[in-house]
Amino acid sequence: MNAPYPSSGAGSLDRPLHRIFGFSSFRPNQEQIVRALMAGRDVFAVMPTGGGKSLCYQLPAVLMPGTALVVSPLISLMKDQVDAARANGIRAAFLNSSLDFADQSAVLRSLQSADLDLLYVAPERFALDQFRELLTGCRISMAVIDEAHCISEWGHDFRPDYLSLSSLVELLPDVPVAAFTATATRKVQQDIVERLRLRDPFMLRASFDRPNLFYEVRFKEPGEAQLVSLLQGFAGQSGIIYRTSRKSVNDTAAMLQKRGIRALPYHAGLGDTERKRNQEAFIRDEVEIIVATVAFGMGIDKSNVRFVIHADLPKSVESYYQETGRAGRDGENARCIMLFSHADIPKVRFFIDAMQDEQERCRALDALSKVVAFASSTVCRRRMLLEHFDEALPVENCGTCDVCQGLHEVTDCTRQAQMVLSTIVRTDSRFGATHLVDILLGSKNQKIMEFGHDRLKVYGIGKGHDKKFWRRLIDDLIARKAVGRSEGLYPMLYLLEGGARILRGEERVEMVRIKEKKGKTAAAVRGGLDALSEADKQLFEQLRTLRKRLADEQGVPPYVIFSDKTLVELSDLQPSTPEEMLAISGIGEVKLARYATPFLEAIARHKAG
């Protein structure tokens, strides 16, 4: 990485930082990037979600003459990005296929007349000769590529449309080009820099650590009860539930709706209108939960997501990191929970095995093995995530994952494993997991009686544990290749050599178990809000209602007005004048002029009440 870019000699940036964004200081690395761009230097920056990368190009876009072009991959997010910029007084617009001809023409006229600080465009726009020619006659201050990992075939979300961006340095030879991504291994980083042909770029690789995120893996239980129980701890808070298939997304969303939980589905199989409507309902706090495939979320600006639940196995550690990164973007605490079952592995393998390209298949298998290792391990989750991105955790215990908080314990289950294996042998390897567990628990169901399995020596010997324990143990035995499972509608279990060694006492079986801690979830995600008094929490809810009303009136998401972090500070400090309000983080001069009166009036009513 380069030596730090000088933070002096080009004038103080503190004044415009506070005037535009309402921040009294930069977050780590932001000022170095801003100064590099203002000095005309190319930039490559890996910054975690929530690290404030948009400020890194929005601030110089305002201060430098001309228009900054920002390449953004998802059309559906551009309007929200523009709304957020305009809320800070930045002259911003977007250009994509969602606009009709008249609106596109108006945006292009604004570009040509230098009336824009920022213009968000889709990557495919650069494949159009007409657009490229138009740019040569405009004053462009810089070109910014967001989600730059999309240009790398080694990245987790490669997009062919991004390949046209490799000609940016020729198209705009006299302006800096900046590439930003939240997730990139060093191999992907090198590929991005080479493909974009960045010229001696200022390189910054920020820490991948997100201290405000709590990482947790729970063993997935069949049925609806586990997920519903989890969501009870997040009542009234925004969250994302990721599922692998469109069907599971639809089924989960419908199940939650039936239970009175405000949830909507999101996946590529929905019509454009419904998909956009559902996303906007979530972003505007009209529903609390979005149930989605990974088609949802890249670059999402919603800052108050308090939890992300992976109800199925993610496809890679990079995907997991990026998807969990959508939580806690406002800096407040958030929780990331993965529901893991070894039974999910064959489902992922089915799709991988269908891949035609050998290299792609090998990469997918390697990615799957790393995700399984992450989920199965009793090593600090944060340490494993950081090591994946070639970063070391500077402390022994992160304190903010299930492993470091001692929520897991390793138990010797060799004897119980031998019970399972013996049951398979005594039933001639002709039955599936459900029937074997019924034998161990001493069930008197009809199938047990018909086969005479109530007379087996192993019948009822597993009553010391519940059905959930035995199913987990069987999953573990399949994963460690002690037990095989046949193909077909009714798969049967049979011993492998590893199972024979366990039966002979030549190998031990250890299983990770969760030590449940009741009543912890809600407090763990509330962050600064949890520190408020009960009276101040009431004010927070009143301000949140006011924010929602103003947002609806203006047709923007609530976070565009103020983040949850700003509302917490307002509820805590309770300013009574515009000058006091200006000292709150996230309130700049433009937002003060727009919103000081209604918020100060609400605070005054609370104090008087």
Side-chain angles (χ1 to χ4, degrees), residues 83-123:
D83 285 340
R86 287 177 175 172
N88 287 318
I90 299 172
R91 300 177 302 167
F94 63 88
L95 186 65
N96 60 45
S97 57
S98 71
L99 299 177
D100 60 27
F101 179 77
D103 288 336
Q104 290 195 37
S105 298
V107 170
L108 291 174
R109 285 195 298 272
S110 296
L111 173 63
Q112 289 173 301
S113 58
D115 290 334
L116 294 174
D117 299 315
L118 278 173
L119 177 61
Y120 287 84
V121 296

mmCIF file of all heavy atoms in Angstrom, residues 83-123:
data_model
loop_
_atom_site.group_PDB
_atom_site.id
_atom_site.type_symbol
_atom_site.label_atom_id
_atom_site.label_comp_id
_atom_site.label_asym_id
_atom_site.label_seq_id
_atom_site.Cartn_x
_atom_site.Cartn_y
_atom_site.Cartn_z
ATOM 1 N N ASP A 83 -31.031 10.920 -4.576
ATOM 2 C CA ASP A 83 -31.837 11.567 -3.537
ATOM 3 C C ASP A 83 -30.976 11.912 -2.319
ATOM 4 O O ASP A 83 -31.097 13.000 -1.747
ATOM 5 C CB ASP A 83 -32.986 10.660 -3.101
ATOM 6 C CG ASP A 83 -34.112 10.606 -4.129
ATOM 7 O OD1 ASP A 83 -34.193 11.523 -4.967
ATOM 8 O OD2 ASP A 83 -34.898 9.639 -4.083
ATOM 9 N N ALA A 84 -30.120 10.958 -1.925
ATOM 10 C CA ALA A 84 -29.261 11.179 -0.754
ATOM 11 C C ALA A 84 -28.278 12.313 -1.016
ATOM 12 O O ALA A 84 -28.027 13.143 -0.133
ATOM 13 C CB ALA A 84 -28.512 9.894 -0.407
ATOM 14 N N ALA A 85 -27.714 12.375 -2.221
ATOM 15 C CA ALA A 85 -26.772 13.448 -2.559
ATOM 16 C C ALA A 85 -27.478 14.802 -2.589
ATOM 17 O O ALA A 85 -26.979 15.804 -2.046
ATOM 18 C CB ALA A 85 -26.106 13.154 -3.904
ATOM 19 N N ARG A 86 -28.649 14.834 -3.201
ATOM 20 C CA ARG A 86 -29.392 16.094 -3.289
ATOM 21 C C ARG A 86 -29.812 16.594 -1.906
ATOM 22 O O ARG A 86 -29.890 17.814 -1.674
ATOM 23 C CB ARG A 86 -30.625 15.913 -4.173
ATOM 24 C CG ARG A 86 -30.301 15.799 -5.665
ATOM 25 C CD ARG A 86 -31.558 15.539 -6.467
ATOM 26 N NE ARG A 86 -31.309 15.543 -7.908
ATOM 27 C CZ ARG A 86 -32.192 15.193 -8.826
ATOM 28 N NH1 ARG A 86 -33.403 14.783 -8.450
ATOM 29 N NH2 ARG A 86 -31.889 15.225 -10.110
ATOM 30 N N ALA A 87 -30.088 15.670 -0.993
ATOM 31 C CA ALA A 87 -30.468 16.064 0.369
ATOM 32 C C ALA A 87 -29.352 16.833 1.053
ATOM 33 O O ALA A 87 -29.591 17.603 1.983
ATOM 34 C CB ALA A 87 -30.841 14.834 1.191
ATOM 35 N N ASN A 88 -28.112 16.618 0.604
ATOM 36 C CA ASN A 88 -26.959 17.343 1.141
ATOM 37 C C ASN A 88 -26.607 18.574 0.298
ATOM 38 O O ASN A 88 -25.563 19.187 0.504
ATOM 39 C CB ASN A 88 -25.747 16.417 1.240
ATOM 40 C CG ASN A 88 -25.877 15.416 2.363
ATOM 41 O OD1 ASN A 88 -26.328 15.751 3.455
ATOM 42 N ND2 ASN A 88 -25.492 14.176 2.114
ATOM 43 N N GLY A 89 -27.474 18.921 -0.661
ATOM 44 C CA GLY A 89 -27.242 20.105 -1.479
ATOM 45 C C GLY A 89 -26.322 19.874 -2.661
ATOM 46 O O GLY A 89 -25.852 20.839 -3.283
ATOM 47 N N ILE A 90 -26.064 18.612 -3.014
ATOM 48 C CA ILE A 90 -25.188 18.293 -4.139
ATOM 49 C C ILE A 90 -26.028 18.219 -5.417
ATOM 50 O O ILE A 90 -27.104 17.605 -5.427
ATOM 51 C CB ILE A 90 -24.471 16.943 -3.899
ATOM 52 C CG1 ILE A 90 -23.607 17.036 -2.634
ATOM 53 C CG2 ILE A 90 -23.604 16.563 -5.095
ATOM 54 C CD1 ILE A 90 -23.007 15.703 -2.197
ATOM 55 N N ARG A 91 -25.560 18.826 -6.482
ATOM 56 C CA ARG A 91 -26.289 18.790 -7.757
ATOM 57 C C ARG A 91 -26.026 17.440 -8.420
ATOM 58 O O ARG A 91 -24.959 17.201 -8.994
ATOM 59 C CB ARG A 91 -25.811 19.929 -8.664
ATOM 60 C CG ARG A 91 -26.016 21.325 -8.076
ATOM 61 C CD ARG A 91 -25.454 22.395 -8.997
ATOM 62 N NE ARG A 91 -24.035 22.178 -9.253
ATOM 63 C CZ ARG A 91 -23.338 22.804 -10.207
ATOM 64 N NH1 ARG A 91 -23.945 23.682 -11.010
ATOM 65 N NH2 ARG A 91 -22.051 22.555 -10.368
ATOM 66 N N ALA A 92 -26.973 16.543 -8.305
ATOM 67 C CA ALA A 92 -26.779 15.165 -8.766
ATOM 68 C C ALA A 92 -27.927 14.721 -9.657
ATOM 69 O O ALA A 92 -29.058 15.210 -9.536
ATOM 70 C CB ALA A 92 -26.653 14.219 -7.568
ATOM 71 N N ALA A 93 -27.621 13.787 -10.560
ATOM 72 C CA ALA A 93 -28.633 13.194 -11.442
ATOM 73 C C ALA A 93 -28.183 11.793 -11.806
ATOM 74 O O ALA A 93 -27.041 11.395 -11.532
ATOM 75 C CB ALA A 93 -28.817 14.045 -12.698
ATOM 76 N N PHE A 94 -29.102 11.021 -12.415
ATOM 77 C CA PHE A 94 -28.721 9.698 -12.913
ATOM 78 C C PHE A 94 -29.194 9.560 -14.354
ATOM 79 O O PHE A 94 -30.126 10.242 -14.805
ATOM 80 C CB PHE A 94 -29.282 8.575 -12.038
ATOM 81 C CG PHE A 94 -30.781 8.502 -11.993
ATOM 82 C CD1 PHE A 94 -31.504 7.753 -12.933
ATOM 83 C CD2 PHE A 94 -31.497 9.152 -10.994
ATOM 84 C CE1 PHE A 94 -32.878 7.685 -12.891
ATOM 85 C CE2 PHE A 94 -32.887 9.090 -10.937
ATOM 86 C CZ PHE A 94 -33.575 8.350 -11.891
ATOM 87 N N LEU A 95 -28.533 8.675 -15.070
ATOM 88 C CA LEU A 95 -28.846 8.445 -16.480
ATOM 89 C C LEU A 95 -28.883 6.955 -16.719
ATOM 90 O O LEU A 95 -27.856 6.277 -16.660
ATOM 91 C CB LEU A 95 -27.772 9.102 -17.366
ATOM 92 C CG LEU A 95 -28.001 9.081 -18.885
ATOM 93 C CD1 LEU A 95 -29.234 9.910 -19.250
ATOM 94 C CD2 LEU A 95 -26.765 9.629 -19.605
ATOM 95 N N ASN A 96 -30.084 6.424 -16.951
ATOM 96 C CA ASN A 96 -30.212 5.002 -17.267
ATOM 97 C C ASN A 96 -31.513 4.762 -18.018
ATOM 98 O O ASN A 96 -32.282 5.692 -18.280
ATOM 99 C CB ASN A 96 -30.130 4.150 -15.983
ATOM 100 C CG ASN A 96 -31.223 4.480 -14.980
ATOM 101 O OD1 ASN A 96 -32.386 4.626 -15.336
ATOM 102 N ND2 ASN A 96 -30.843 4.603 -13.717
ATOM 103 N N SER A 97 -31.776 3.516 -18.353
ATOM 104 C CA SER A 97 -32.915 3.165 -19.210
ATOM 105 C C SER A 97 -34.263 3.358 -18.533
ATOM 106 O O SER A 97 -35.302 3.263 -19.197
ATOM 107 C CB SER A 97 -32.776 1.715 -19.685
ATOM 108 O OG SER A 97 -32.684 0.841 -18.573
ATOM 109 N N SER A 98 -34.286 3.618 -17.214
ATOM 110 C CA SER A 98 -35.571 3.837 -16.539
ATOM 111 C C SER A 98 -36.157 5.208 -16.869
ATOM 112 O O SER A 98 -37.340 5.451 -16.641
ATOM 113 C CB SER A 98 -35.407 3.705 -15.021
ATOM 114 O OG SER A 98 -34.681 4.800 -14.491
ATOM 115 N N LEU A 99 -35.330 6.113 -17.403
ATOM 116 C CA LEU A 99 -35.804 7.445 -17.768
ATOM 117 C C LEU A 99 -36.352 7.438 -19.195
ATOM 118 O O LEU A 99 -35.805 6.757 -20.066
ATOM 119 C CB LEU A 99 -34.662 8.459 -17.682
ATOM 120 C CG LEU A 99 -33.995 8.665 -16.314
ATOM 121 C CD1 LEU A 99 -32.841 9.662 -16.441
ATOM 122 C CD2 LEU A 99 -35.010 9.164 -15.290
ATOM 123 N N ASP A 100 -37.399 8.223 -19.437
ATOM 124 C CA ASP A 100 -37.889 8.342 -20.806
ATOM 125 C C ASP A 100 -36.972 9.277 -21.596
ATOM 126 O O ASP A 100 -36.041 9.891 -21.042
ATOM 127 C CB ASP A 100 -39.344 8.814 -20.846
ATOM 128 C CG ASP A 100 -39.541 10.184 -20.204
ATOM 129 O OD1 ASP A 100 -38.590 10.993 -20.189
ATOM 130 O OD2 ASP A 100 -40.659 10.450 -19.716
ATOM 131 N N PHE A 101 -37.232 9.402 -22.893
ATOM 132 C CA PHE A 101 -36.340 10.163 -23.769
ATOM 133 C C PHE A 101 -36.210 11.625 -23.332
ATOM 134 O O PHE A 101 -35.118 12.195 -23.326
ATOM 135 C CB PHE A 101 -36.859 10.104 -25.217
ATOM 136 C CG PHE A 101 -36.017 10.875 -26.194
ATOM 137 C CD1 PHE A 101 -34.809 10.356 -26.651
ATOM 138 C CD2 PHE A 101 -36.436 12.135 -26.638
ATOM 139 C CE1 PHE A 101 -34.025 11.081 -27.539
ATOM 140 C CE2 PHE A 101 -35.658 12.856 -27.532
ATOM 141 C CZ PHE A 101 -34.444 12.327 -27.987
ATOM 142 N N ALA A 102 -37.334 12.230 -22.930
ATOM 143 C CA ALA A 102 -37.314 13.640 -22.529
ATOM 144 C C ALA A 102 -36.442 13.848 -21.291
ATOM 145 O O ALA A 102 -35.657 14.809 -21.219
ATOM 146 C CB ALA A 102 -38.733 14.136 -22.269
ATOM 147 N N ASP A 103 -36.585 12.933 -20.294
ATOM 148 C CA ASP A 103 -35.795 13.065 -19.067
ATOM 149 C C ASP A 103 -34.308 12.811 -19.335
ATOM 150 O O ASP A 103 -33.440 13.491 -18.773
ATOM 151 C CB ASP A 103 -36.304 12.097 -17.998
ATOM 152 C CG ASP A 103 -37.650 12.539 -17.420
ATOM 153 O OD1 ASP A 103 -37.944 13.743 -17.498
ATOM 154 O OD2 ASP A 103 -38.387 11.673 -16.915
ATOM 155 N N GLN A 104 -34.008 11.831 -20.195
ATOM 156 C CA GLN A 104 -32.607 11.582 -20.550
ATOM 157 C C GLN A 104 -32.006 12.809 -21.236
ATOM 158 O O GLN A 104 -30.864 13.197 -20.948
ATOM 159 C CB GLN A 104 -32.492 10.354 -21.456
ATOM 160 C CG GLN A 104 -32.779 9.041 -20.757
ATOM 161 C CD GLN A 104 -32.317 7.832 -21.574
ATOM 162 O OE1 GLN A 104 -31.292 7.882 -22.231
ATOM 163 N NE2 GLN A 104 -33.087 6.756 -21.525
ATOM 164 N N SER A 105 -32.762 13.403 -22.116
ATOM 165 C CA SER A 105 -32.271 14.589 -22.828
ATOM 166 C C SER A 105 -31.995 15.737 -21.856
ATOM 167 O O SER A 105 -31.000 16.461 -21.989
ATOM 168 C CB SER A 105 -33.283 15.033 -23.887
ATOM 169 O OG SER A 105 -33.473 14.020 -24.853
ATOM 170 N N ALA A 106 -32.874 15.899 -20.867
ATOM 171 C CA ALA A 106 -32.690 16.965 -19.879
ATOM 172 C C ALA A 106 -31.422 16.748 -19.064
ATOM 173 O O ALA A 106 -30.671 17.700 -18.780
ATOM 174 C CB ALA A 106 -33.910 17.033 -18.956
ATOM 175 N N VAL A 107 -31.170 15.493 -18.688
ATOM 176 C CA VAL A 107 -29.947 15.181 -17.917
ATOM 177 C C VAL A 107 -28.709 15.467 -18.762
ATOM 178 O O VAL A 107 -27.723 16.051 -18.281
ATOM 179 C CB VAL A 107 -29.970 13.712 -17.451
ATOM 180 C CG1 VAL A 107 -28.608 13.311 -16.870
ATOM 181 C CG2 VAL A 107 -31.062 13.496 -16.415
ATOM 182 N N LEU A 108 -28.741 15.062 -20.022
ATOM 183 C CA LEU A 108 -27.591 15.295 -20.906
ATOM 184 C C LEU A 108 -27.342 16.790 -21.110
ATOM 185 O O LEU A 108 -26.185 17.235 -21.186
ATOM 186 C CB LEU A 108 -27.802 14.589 -22.244
ATOM 187 C CG LEU A 108 -27.766 13.053 -22.186
ATOM 188 C CD1 LEU A 108 -28.131 12.450 -23.534
ATOM 189 C CD2 LEU A 108 -26.381 12.567 -21.747
ATOM 190 N N ARG A 109 -28.407 17.577 -21.195
ATOM 191 C CA ARG A 109 -28.231 19.038 -21.316
ATOM 192 C C ARG A 109 -27.568 19.601 -20.054
ATOM 193 O O ARG A 109 -26.690 20.472 -20.136
ATOM 194 C CB ARG A 109 -29.578 19.715 -21.564
ATOM 195 C CG ARG A 109 -30.106 19.543 -22.982
ATOM 196 C CD ARG A 109 -31.235 20.538 -23.272
ATOM 197 N NE ARG A 109 -32.380 20.343 -22.394
ATOM 198 C CZ ARG A 109 -33.385 19.509 -22.649
ATOM 199 N NH1 ARG A 109 -33.376 18.768 -23.754
ATOM 200 N NH2 ARG A 109 -34.396 19.391 -21.799
ATOM 201 N N SER A 110 -27.973 19.115 -18.898
ATOM 202 C CA SER A 110 -27.359 19.564 -17.643
ATOM 203 C C SER A 110 -25.883 19.191 -17.598
ATOM 204 O O SER A 110 -25.053 19.962 -17.106
ATOM 205 C CB SER A 110 -28.081 18.951 -16.434
ATOM 206 O OG SER A 110 -29.414 19.399 -16.353
ATOM 207 N N LEU A 111 -25.558 17.998 -18.123
ATOM 208 C CA LEU A 111 -24.159 17.572 -18.183
ATOM 209 C C LEU A 111 -23.354 18.493 -19.092
ATOM 210 O O LEU A 111 -22.259 18.954 -18.736
ATOM 211 C CB LEU A 111 -24.090 16.127 -18.683
ATOM 212 C CG LEU A 111 -22.693 15.557 -18.968
ATOM 213 C CD1 LEU A 111 -21.864 15.500 -17.680
ATOM 214 C CD2 LEU A 111 -22.796 14.160 -19.593
ATOM 215 N N GLN A 112 -23.893 18.786 -20.253
ATOM 216 C CA GLN A 112 -23.177 19.613 -21.227
ATOM 217 C C GLN A 112 -23.012 21.058 -20.755
ATOM 218 O O GLN A 112 -22.020 21.712 -21.094
ATOM 219 C CB GLN A 112 -23.911 19.581 -22.574
ATOM 220 C CG GLN A 112 -23.802 18.230 -23.283
ATOM 221 C CD GLN A 112 -24.670 18.152 -24.526
ATOM 222 O OE1 GLN A 112 -25.888 18.313 -24.459
ATOM 223 N NE2 GLN A 112 -24.045 17.922 -25.671
ATOM 224 N N SER A 113 -23.960 21.529 -19.961
ATOM 225 C CA SER A 113 -23.878 22.914 -19.483
ATOM 226 C C SER A 113 -23.192 23.022 -18.125
ATOM 227 O O SER A 113 -23.211 24.094 -17.506
ATOM 228 C CB SER A 113 -25.276 23.528 -19.408
ATOM 229 O OG SER A 113 -26.117 22.762 -18.561
ATOM 230 N N ALA A 114 -22.590 21.902 -17.658
ATOM 231 C CA ALA A 114 -21.832 21.882 -16.392
ATOM 232 C C ALA A 114 -22.686 22.258 -15.193
ATOM 233 O O ALA A 114 -22.218 22.921 -14.259
ATOM 234 C CB ALA A 114 -20.609 22.792 -16.494
ATOM 235 N N ASP A 115 -23.957 21.838 -15.195
ATOM 236 C CA ASP A 115 -24.859 22.115 -14.082
ATOM 237 C C ASP A 115 -24.940 20.966 -13.078
ATOM 238 O O ASP A 115 -25.812 20.962 -12.202
ATOM 239 C CB ASP A 115 -26.270 22.414 -14.612
ATOM 240 C CG ASP A 115 -26.343 23.748 -15.338
ATOM 241 O OD1 ASP A 115 -25.525 24.628 -15.023
ATOM 242 O OD2 ASP A 115 -27.200 23.889 -16.233
ATOM 243 N N LEU A 116 -24.067 19.973 -13.218
ATOM 244 C CA LEU A 116 -24.093 18.803 -12.335
ATOM 245 C C LEU A 116 -22.751 18.627 -11.633
ATOM 246 O O LEU A 116 -21.689 18.787 -12.248
ATOM 247 C CB LEU A 116 -24.403 17.533 -13.133
ATOM 248 C CG LEU A 116 -25.786 17.407 -13.767
ATOM 249 C CD1 LEU A 116 -25.852 16.153 -14.628
ATOM 250 C CD2 LEU A 116 -26.875 17.375 -12.694
ATOM 251 N N ASP A 117 -22.809 18.291 -10.354
ATOM 252 C CA ASP A 117 -21.602 17.857 -9.637
ATOM 253 C C ASP A 117 -21.375 16.369 -9.840
ATOM 254 O O ASP A 117 -20.233 15.914 -9.947
ATOM 255 C CB ASP A 117 -21.756 18.124 -8.127
ATOM 256 C CG ASP A 117 -21.951 19.597 -7.815
ATOM 257 O OD1 ASP A 117 -21.212 20.418 -8.384
ATOM 258 O OD2 ASP A 117 -22.857 19.918 -7.012
ATOM 259 N N LEU A 118 -22.484 15.610 -9.861
ATOM 260 C CA LEU A 118 -22.427 14.145 -9.929
ATOM 261 C C LEU A 118 -23.401 13.629 -10.976
ATOM 262 O O LEU A 118 -24.542 14.092 -11.034
ATOM 263 C CB LEU A 118 -22.841 13.526 -8.588
ATOM 264 C CG LEU A 118 -21.843 13.409 -7.443
ATOM 265 C CD1 LEU A 118 -22.577 12.928 -6.204
ATOM 266 C CD2 LEU A 118 -20.721 12.454 -7.791
ATOM 267 N N LEU A 119 -22.955 12.657 -11.757
ATOM 268 C CA LEU A 119 -23.861 11.968 -12.672
ATOM 269 C C LEU A 119 -23.648 10.472 -12.535
ATOM 270 O O LEU A 119 -22.552 9.962 -12.802
ATOM 271 C CB LEU A 119 -23.610 12.383 -14.123
ATOM 272 C CG LEU A 119 -24.474 11.653 -15.169
ATOM 273 C CD1 LEU A 119 -25.963 11.923 -14.922
ATOM 274 C CD2 LEU A 119 -24.078 12.048 -16.584
ATOM 275 N N TYR A 120 -24.680 9.753 -12.068
ATOM 276 C CA TYR A 120 -24.621 8.296 -11.943
ATOM 277 C C TYR A 120 -25.070 7.674 -13.260
ATOM 278 O O TYR A 120 -26.117 8.040 -13.808
ATOM 279 C CB TYR A 120 -25.538 7.822 -10.812
ATOM 280 C CG TYR A 120 -25.018 8.135 -9.432
ATOM 281 C CD1 TYR A 120 -25.243 9.373 -8.847
ATOM 282 C CD2 TYR A 120 -24.294 7.195 -8.707
ATOM 283 C CE1 TYR A 120 -24.768 9.673 -7.582
ATOM 284 C CE2 TYR A 120 -23.814 7.474 -7.442
ATOM 285 C CZ TYR A 120 -24.056 8.721 -6.883
ATOM 286 O OH TYR A 120 -23.580 9.003 -5.620
ATOM 287 N N VAL A 121 -24.280 6.736 -13.766
ATOM 288 C CA VAL A 121 -24.591 6.086 -15.039
ATOM 289 C C VAL A 121 -24.404 4.581 -14.903
ATOM 290 O O VAL A 121 -23.611 4.107 -14.090
ATOM 291 C CB VAL A 121 -23.711 6.623 -16.197
ATOM 292 C CG1 VAL A 121 -23.992 8.085 -16.458
ATOM 293 C CG2 VAL A 121 -22.228 6.421 -15.886
ATOM 294 N N ALA A 122 -25.131 3.826 -15.733
ATOM 295 C CA ALA A 122 -24.966 2.372 -15.773
ATOM 296 C C ALA A 122 -23.760 2.026 -16.643
ATOM 297 O O ALA A 122 -23.439 2.763 -17.583
ATOM 298 C CB ALA A 122 -26.231 1.725 -16.327
ATOM 299 N N PRO A 123 -23.071 0.906 -16.373
ATOM 300 C CA PRO A 123 -21.852 0.576 -17.123
ATOM 301 C C PRO A 123 -22.081 0.392 -18.617
ATOM 302 O O PRO A 123 -21.211 0.732 -19.425
ATOM 303 C CB PRO A 123 -21.368 -0.724 -16.464
ATOM 304 C CG PRO A 123 -22.545 -1.258 -15.713
ATOM 305 C CD PRO A 123 -23.332 -0.079 -15.308
#
